[in-house]
Amino acid sequence: MQSRRVISKPQKESLVSPIIAAIASALIPGLGQILARVVNRGLIILASFITSAGLLIWRIATEGARYTGWKTIISKAYKLNPFLYLITILMIVTYIYAIVDAYLTARPGAKKSKAVGMIFMIILVFFAQGWEIGQIDLGALVRDADEAVPALTKVMWPWAKAISHPEEFRTSYVEVQTPCTDVAFPSGEPKTDEPYLIADPTCGVPSEVEVSLGTEFHVIGRNFVPGNEVEIWWKDSANREFHHRVDGDYLIVTPDKNGSFDISVIMPYRTLTPAAEEGVKTWQIQARQLISVGGAVASDELKLAVEKMIETIFIGMMATFFGILLAVPVSFIAARNLMSHSPVTMVIYYLVRTILNIIRSIEPLIWAIIAVIVVGLGPFAGILALTLHSLAALAKLYSEAIESIDSGQIEAIQATGANWFQVISFAVIPQIIPPFVSFTIYRWDINIRMSTVIGFVGGGGIGYLLAQWIRILDYRSAGIAVWFIAITVAILDFVSADIREKFV
Amino acid sequence: MLQIKNLTKVYPDGTVALKNVSFEVPEGEFLIVIGLSGSGKSTLLRCINRLIDPTEGQILWNGVDLSKLEGEELRKARRKIGMIFQNFNLIKRSSVFSNIMSGRLGYTQTLPSMLGRFTKEDIDMGKNVVERLGITDQMHKRADELSGGQQQRVGIARALMQEPELILADEPVASLDPVLAHSILKTLETLNHEDGLTVICSLHYLDLVQRYGSSVVGLREGEVVYRGSREDVRKMTDEQFKEIYGAEAERVGASIEGVVQE
Ligand SMILES: Nc1ncnc2c1ncn2[C@@H]1O[C@H](COP(=O)(O)OP(=O)(O)OP(=O)(O)O)[C@@H](O)[C@H]1O
Ligand SMILES: [Mg+2]
């Protein structure tokens, strides 16, 4: 082991006197330090000042964009955004600091200092600017909490929306005759198991506009489901159905605990001309009750979430699959050790590597947006985007695995008199399979995670659903989607870690 | 009979690793190549089975110039030349038996061998070789689970599967302790005596050279600087050894009595 001794270099002699250095730094921050031959520090100070001054001017210009005349712009900007005062003050302090620092460093025989305070001030200025540009507002975390909490509760515990109770209207009716005739019209009959209605009287006349009210029927209902609301409807002789209204509102009654109700209804206006309803007709008084049929079933939202989750997993799988198919051949021409034989292959190598790096450096979400433009909304766009990104990522990892192949093993097999194919299958493949499998599982994991969000930009899968539900503020349904994503990713973590452990 | 004639190797970066090397190896010899690190021992051995292409010169083996062979002919010649490496160069993730069977690749058709299929005779032969080298218990383990000495036995077994006439051993014991070194060299000696295989082996330690070599070639900076018979070698003093070898020369220090006889 060689031990490295740190030799502290003596401070180089300043080119100018301390006063000149201070004045230089007052004119151009950092210039004094450069003249005092601490060039790096001077350059850092200069660059920092140019950057933060540029940022400040930009912020002032945006805040005061609606005004004209630079004086107005500045004063308005500071009034609108008092935070700019803080930044300005910090910059002035740093400016003075830089002048003092220039003076001190230019003193003859000055010790080489680390300028910690200077760097701290510069970081502080940038921190303040970052705070302002990032619109950091810690208050927002709690200000609207009372609105956020119910929504978040729904997201976190959405299961009320996961099941539904199928319901349907059951209609019971009693017929009444209009007008009355000599023959008594029979009323409804009591039934034992079904709900029934009995009307009294059993005949009457409709209301007539501005002339007379219709006959008042006393209707009793029995055997209804206690507590469930009952809507009262009419059906006239022409089979038109309409709500019974009382003062413009629908009549809704709630049966008592025995399932009974008693009401009085006045026969409404005709909807037909009297002429069309000549003769003796029968009308129905209907009682419609919403009752649940069958047990609890999965809600439509739940089914949709399951379907889209399956779609999501397959998007990830197909992308991984295509990614592997494309990456394997590409990885061979992206492996330095295989391509370093001639200048031509080296050019190909660099070309392929560069393309792969570019593809990889663009996020899959951006690729998805491009894919949606090309092939339209839907899972295929997602598959394309993820395939492209997987290709680039896998080809890089695979080629690195190929580059780290132990050539000794290859030579040993060559030495036995094996041919090219035998060398590949005996010496190369056993060496690259484990890293290939490991990288592939890792990629598969990433792809399924990515496929859950690729839908946000239209790439299909559960993300698409989640985005829509969030947009229509259906937090419960969104919660279902979020849960599915979380569960899938958790399972995936577990499975992929397990598989990879076995191979590495 | 192996005849090396004016063999020269210049690497692409200009390093002259062998300069005009000539010597003969009669059949059944246990030739030991000595020389400092960088003197060209590995280069010499690798030229013989053409893992490296010599720049100039001839390697005549039973009248055939190995340095001119290409393709199928080269592979046919390689089948008869087993090679043993300092770092064993086993396929680490494959089983011991699969490693041993890879010695038959030169005799096996491409497609079956790629599927890992070997003939019944070859498999029986593998089992015999495994038994002969005392690694039967390790047969189904992964190669990298074995100790160094066991791995080198697998390396020898792989070479034996080639039914070789010549064995090239490039510092076969440099990564092993003295006791194991003796044990491995004794195995090579047995093959040399009983099966009549010619062995060319590079070594570092004088006592091993004296104990096992039937003749010696000394290399320095790619040139042959010493050629001695068994008797010459036996008489060789440490001083002479150091002349060829430089100050690095040393004795391994373990006596042959310490080796467990197999
Ligand atoms: N692939 C190569 N490219 C360029 N020079 C090489 C290459 N391989 C070996 N050399 C050089 O050739 C010379 C001989 O090397 P070689 O490996 O044959 O020596 P060696 O005697 O086997 O040494 P060691 O005892 O260290 O194994 C050395 O100077 C080495 O640096
Ligand atoms: Mg060597």
Side-chain angles (χ1 to χ4, degrees):
Chain A
M1 277 290 286
Q2 243 185 324
S3 68
R4 257 186 48 194
R5 257 189 309 152
V6 183
I7 305 161
S8 62
K9 278 184 260 163
Q11 168 78 47
K12 285 187 207 146
E13 203 59 44
S14 171
L15 295 175
V16 293
S17 71
I19 295 293
I20 304 280
I23 292 170
S25 259
L27 292 174
I28 301 172
L31 185 62
Q33 279 84 351
I34 295 172
L35 292 174
R37 297 176 75 183
V38 275
V39 178
N40 280 348
R41 190 191 304 174
L43 289 176
I44 290 173
I45 293 171
L46 181 59
S48 308
F49 258 94
I50 292 173
T51 314
S52 54
L55 288 173
L56 185 64
I57 292 168
W58 165 56
R59 295 311 291 170
I60 290 172
T62 17
E63 288 291 356
R66 275 182 286 135
Y67 306 93
T68 45
W70 61 271
K71 270 186 187 160
T72 336
I73 289 177
I74 292 174
S75 67
K76 286 288 180 187
Y78 277 89
K79 212 165 275 165
L80 285 169
N81 191 349
F83 207 89
L84 295 176
Y85 281 120
L86 178 63
I87 295 170
T88 314
I89 290 167
L90 284 172
M91 281 179 67
I92 291 168
V93 172
T94 316
Y95 172 74
I96 294 167
Y97 204 131
I99 296 169
V100 174
D101 182 72
Y103 180 84
L104 292 177
T105 26
R107 270 180 319 167
K111 289 223 187 69
K112 189 171 183 159
S113 69
K114 291 253 165 56
V116 180
M118 190 74 235
I119 289 170
F120 178 77
M121 279 313 298
I122 290 172
I123 292 175
L124 204 62
V125 169
F126 281 118
F127 184 80
Q129 286 185 322
W131 189 282
E132 193 268 324
I133 292 169
Q135 300 177 15
I136 292 175
D137 179 6
L138 296 181
L141 285 174
V142 286
R143 199 179 304 123
D144 297 328
D146 48 335
E147 279 175 42
V149 167
L152 286 181
T153 317
K154 283 181 191 156
V155 171
M156 287 195 294
W157 204 248
W159 303 116
K161 192 107 188 206
I163 45 170
S164 62
H165 303 270
E167 290 171 323
E168 67 180 35
F169 277 103
R170 187 168 59 184
T171 305
S172 319
Y173 64 87
V174 60
E175 289 188 328
V176 291
Q177 193 187 47
T178 181
C180 289
T181 55
D182 295 345
V183 187
F185 189 75
S187 174
E189 273 177 22
K191 300 169 187 163
T192 43
D193 290 334
E194 293 170 51
Y196 64 91
L197 296 176
I198 291 174
D200 172 41
T202 58
C203 64
V205 289
S207 303
E208 275 180 57
V209 185
E210 292 181 359
V211 175
S212 63
L213 280 178
T215 311
E216 182 173 0
F217 293 99
H218 296 279
V219 180
I220 59 164
R222 295 291 181 270
N223 289 347
F224 283 81
V225 177
N228 280 18
E229 288 178 347
V230 175
E231 296 180 9
I232 304 300
W233 289 64
W234 288 91
K235 183 168 149 187
D236 69 13
S237 59
N239 288 336
R240 293 168 192 246
E241 297 178 8
F242 45 92
H243 275 285
H244 182 82
R245 287 172 189 266
V246 179
D247 300 332
D249 291 328
Y250 297 155
L251 178 60
I252 290 169
V253 289
T254 308
D256 64 17
K257 64 181 191 301
N258 301 318
S260 310
F261 61 84
D262 292 18
I263 50 168
S264 293
V265 292
I266 290 169
M267 197 164 176
Y269 306 112
R270 295 176 200 277
T271 58
L272 304 164
T273 54
E277 233 190 348
E278 236 171 287
V280 180
K281 304 283 178 189
T282 52
W283 286 32
Q284 280 182 8
I285 303 172
Q286 297 182 337
R288 300 183 178 182
Q289 190 178 31
L290 198 59
I291 55 165
S292 63
V293 290
V297 293
S299 69
D300 287 346
E301 287 83 357
L302 184 69
K303 285 187 209 149
L304 205 56
V306 171
E307 279 169 20
K308 286 289 171 186
M309 200 62 231
I310 294 172
E311 186 179 299
T312 305
I313 292 171
F314 275 96
I315 290 174
M317 270 183 52
M318 294 311 285
T320 313
F321 187 68
F322 289 133
I324 296 168
L325 282 186
L326 297 171
V328 167
V330 173
S331 65
F332 284 87
I333 50 174
R336 196 186 192 104
N337 54 342
L338 300 184
M339 300 298 282
S340 56
H341 306 298
S342 77
V344 178
T345 50
M346 271 320 262
V347 168
I348 298 175
Y349 161 84
Y350 279 114
L351 208 67
V352 171
R353 273 283 164 123
T354 311
I355 295 173
L356 291 180
N357 284 341
I358 293 172
I359 297 179
R360 214 160 38 84
S361 62
I362 297 173
E363 281 293 311
L365 277 182
I366 294 167
W367 283 119
I369 292 169
I370 297 170
V372 166
I373 296 168
V374 178
V375 299
L377 293 175
F380 183 48
I383 292 175
L384 276 184
L386 289 178
T387 298
L388 206 58
H389 203 256
S390 305
L391 158 66
L394 281 177
K396 177 168 183 281
L397 292 173
Y398 287 173
S399 60
E400 278 164 5
I402 294 171
E403 281 169 2
S404 63
I405 280 179
D406 169 17
S407 61
Q409 298 180 33
I410 292 176
E411 288 187 332
I413 297 297
Q414 277 174 342
T416 66
N419 64 31
W420 188 85
F421 291 101
Q422 290 170 326
V423 171
I424 295 290
S425 67
F426 267 75
V428 178
I429 293 187
Q431 290 194 63
I432 59 178
I433 285 291
F436 271 39
V437 169
S438 162
F439 294 143
T440 307
I441 301 278
Y442 176 59
R443 195 65 225 174
W444 178 64
D445 189 325
I446 293 176
N447 275 348
I448 293 195
R449 282 162 204 268
M450 281 310 305
S451 63
T452 58
V453 293
I454 209 116
F456 272 86
V457 294
I462 199 156
Y464 192 55
L465 212 55
L466 181 57
Q468 283 186 337
W469 278 333
I470 290 174
R471 228 168 273 143
I472 61 171
L473 309 184
D474 186 350
Y475 291 121
R476 281 227 162 79
S477 303
I480 293 176
V482 169
W483 268 90
F484 268 104
I485 293 171
I487 291 169
T488 312
V489 170
I491 294 174
L492 203 68
D493 262 348
F494 183 75
V495 173
S496 74
D498 200 53
I499 299 177
R500 274 198 287 164
E501 217 161 74
K502 289 202 176 96
F503 270 92
V504 179
Chain B
M1 174 76 114
L2 180 73
Q3 292 167 290
I4 312 282
K5 285 186 179 170
N6 305 324
L7 193 65
T8 298
K9 172 65 187 175
V10 183
Y11 282 109
D13 64 354
T15 312
V16 182
L18 294 176
K19 263 181 248 169
N20 238 346
V21 171
S22 302
F23 61 90
E24 287 179 5
V25 193
E27 211 145 289
E29 193 142 56
F30 198 119
L31 175 82
I32 292 182
V33 182
I34 55 176
L36 272 175
S37 179
S39 60
K41 303 182 298 288
S42 300
T43 307
L44 172 63
L45 294 186
R46 284 154 176 273
C47 278
I48 296 173
N49 71 350
R50 292 279 307 283
L51 288 178
I52 293 175
D53 290 329
T55 314
E56 256 169 60
Q58 290 177 308
I59 304 161
L60 294 174
W61 192 35
N62 303 328
V64 181
D65 186 357
L66 296 178
S67 68
K68 300 284 179 297
L69 297 184
E70 284 303 330
E72 191 60 33
E73 284 183 333
L74 173 61
R75 289 197 290 274
K76 283 242 168 70
R78 273 180 178 166
R79 296 199 300 205
K80 291 291 171 190
I81 307 173
M83 188 154 192
I84 298 163
F85 303 84
Q86 175 183 346
N87 302 319
F88 325 128
N89 284 356
L90 302 181
I91 309 305
K92 293 201 176 70
R93 294 175 189 275
S94 301
S95 75
V96 165
F97 197 64
S98 154
N99 266 284
I100 289 170
M101 290 313 291
S102 66
R104 288 311 282 174
L105 285 173
Y107 297 92
T108 313
Q109 292 203 318
T110 305
L111 207 60
S113 68
M114 285 177 77
L115 301 171
R117 292 226 189 90
F118 292 92
T119 61
K120 179 88 177 50
E121 294 80 62
D122 285 355
I123 290 172
D124 287 344
M125 182 179 167
K127 284 177 182 157
N128 283 335
V129 169
V130 162
E131 209 163 299
R132 186 170 177 192
L133 290 172
I135 43 176
T136 319
D137 292 345
Q138 277 73 41
M139 211 161 88
H140 300 293
K141 289 189 184 161
R142 251 171 67 156
D144 60 358
E145 288 171 357
L146 268 53
S147 71
Q150 289 169 334
Q151 291 197 34
Q152 194 56 293
R153 283 172 185 286
V154 177
I156 296 174
R158 175 170 65 191
L160 277 187
M161 290 300 285
Q162 294 173 232
E163 300 181 288
E165 291 164 15
L166 172 64
I167 286 197
L168 305 172
D170 190 3
E171 304 199 29
V173 297
S175 347
L176 302 176
D177 66 45
V179 177
L180 277 173
H182 273 301
S183 151
I184 291 293
L185 285 171
K186 271 193 73 68
T187 309
L188 290 179
E189 190 179 45
T190 312
L191 298 173
N192 176 246
H193 288 173
E194 292 177 7
D195 302 27
L197 299 182
T198 308
V199 178
I200 303 178
C201 176
S202 61
L203 280 182
H204 257 110
Y205 301 110
L206 178 58
D207 45 0
L208 293 180
V209 177
Q210 288 179 323
R211 167 67 184 77
Y212 295 100
S214 72
S215 82
V216 172
V217 165
L219 289 180
R220 192 197 289 151
E221 293 178 2
E223 286 179 289
V224 179
V225 293
Y226 180 83
R227 185 81 174 93
S229 68
R230 174 179 285 263
E231 286 63 42
D232 297 335
V233 178
R234 294 284 186 275
K235 281 183 282 183
M236 202 187 227
T237 61
D238 279 16
E239 282 64 42
Q240 279 175 305
F241 187 63
K242 275 183 182 155
E243 240 181 70
I244 312 166
Y245 225 117
E248 279 178 32
E250 52 181 325
R251 286 171 179 271
V252 63
S255 71
I256 184 71
E257 280 71 43
V259 180
V260 185
Q261 307 284 317
E262 66 248 52

